[in-house]
Amino acid sequence: MADLEGLTTSIETGDRAAATRATQQAIDDGLNPQAILDAMTAAMNNVGGRFQRNEIFVPEMLIAARAMKEATALLEPLLVAADIRPEATAVIGTVKGDLHDIGKNLVGMMWKGANIEVIDLGTNVPPERYVEAARSHDARIIGISALLTTTMTGMGDVVRAVRDAGMGDVRIIVGGAPVTAEFAREIGADGYAPDAGSAVEVAKAALAR
Ligand code: B1M
């Protein structure tokens, strides 16, 4: 029987086998994918809090992140609709200097599920790479993720690089834990999403403009 609390605990402790088992069980039992994802995200929030209180350190964060990644990979097919022609292409990446990619990957999955083709540039992406990829893939959306207060300022560099390249019709959407709607406005982004679910609505609204 599905055990979402057990799923949270197994990700928190970095037990990959238990995390994937619990995820598969929850899927097989027909639980709502969003509820499964919420149990996983709760684990990462607990991990973040414990890191802040110096109860755990980077290696523990890393093994929790690995367990989360393996577990979310099982969820991906449920979040992605198959066999439909993409409405638009988006390139997505985590900003230069930043290696966090779980949130970015979730946004990518949700966009795929919303019929947007996603070109994932990975992490530590410099501004010129977003520009080149958007141009070569004829993308209409650029998604930038940042998890660190020290790297979020780099999002402004990406916006400038895209505008300087004369790509005014490309919509830039930003997000990540330290990012706010006000910050997004300040740097001239076209949209801000606080989570992967709302990133779909924000992308659709940006495409409709
Ligand atoms: Co890091 N880390 N980390 N870390 N880490 C945080 C972010 C931190 C808040 C922990 C803490 O202190 N409580 C803190 C940042 C403090 C700050 O700047 N304010 C921190 C730190 C300090 C660091 C290091 C500097 C630690 C060190 O080395 N001393 C270091 C930096 C490395 C670097 O990037 N250069 C570091 C390293 C790491 C690991 C590598 C160990 C690992 C990342 C592994 C990986 O991603 N592959 C890691 C982890 C796992 C975390 C926490 C625990 C979890 C992040 C996560 O995956 N959350 C995190 C604490 C926390 O967030 N509670 C922390 C789950 C994920 C689903 O949420 O990414 O927020 P999130 O994504 C959400 C939304 O933000 C939004 O949608 C997602 C889903 O709903 N969203 C978007 C994200 N991107 C979006 C883009 C959009 C729209 C919405 O549009 C394009």
Side-chain angles (χ1 to χ4, degrees):
M1 209 180 68
D3 173 13
L4 292 183
E5 273 179 33
L7 172 58
T8 303
T9 308
S10 57
I11 291 182
E12 218 176 307
T13 55
D15 185 340
R16 287 190 271 172
T20 48
R21 229 182 4 254
T23 304
Q24 195 56 58
Q25 185 67 58
I27 292 170
D28 293 345
D29 286 358
L31 264 67
N32 181 325
Q34 185 59 51
I36 306 175
L37 193 56
D38 287 348
M40 295 175 174
T41 308
M44 297 316 281
N45 287 337
N46 296 345
V47 167
R50 293 176 66 205
F51 177 76
Q52 230 162 7
R53 295 190 298 275
N54 290 322
E55 291 167 10
I56 57 166
F57 301 96
V58 172
E60 286 93 338
M61 268 209 297
L62 205 50
I63 58 164
R66 284 206 190 119
M68 170 96 180
K69 268 193 181 176
E70 287 191 17
T72 49
L74 292 175
L75 260 193
E76 179 162 8
L78 276 74
L79 299 172
V80 175
D83 248 9
I84 305 169
R85 243 180 105 77
E87 184 184 332
T89 299
V91 301
I92 190 167
T94 305
V95 75
K96 187 175 173 187
D98 200 322
L99 302 176
H100 296 86
D101 66 355
I102 295 174
K104 181 262 298 168
N105 294 344
L106 285 173
V107 173
M109 280 181 205
M110 296 304 285
W111 281 354
K112 282 188 207 168
N115 200 23
I116 295 170
E117 184 181 4
V118 176
I119 311 295
D120 189 343
L121 305 179
T123 60
N124 189 23
V125 182
E128 59 277 13
R129 186 80 187 89
Y130 289 97
V131 172
E132 286 159 15
R135 187 170 276 145
S136 62
H137 291 282
D138 199 16
R140 291 196 53 212
I141 294 177
I142 291 178
I144 320 169
S145 178
L147 263 286
L148 300 171
T149 44
T150 48
T151 58
M152 63 189 268
T153 50
M155 292 175 147
D157 299 334
V158 182
V159 175
R160 263 189 304 280
V162 173
R163 303 303 180 221
D164 288 351
M167 302 163 84
D169 53 344
V170 174
R171 304 284 175 244
I172 302 175
I173 295 169
V174 297
V179 180
T180 61
E182 192 187 357
F183 175 78
R185 262 194 309 275
E186 268 170 32
I187 63 170
D190 299 296
Y192 157 75
D195 54 56
S198 57
V200 170
E201 290 152 38
V202 173
K204 296 272 178 187
L207 285 172
R209 263 185 254 149

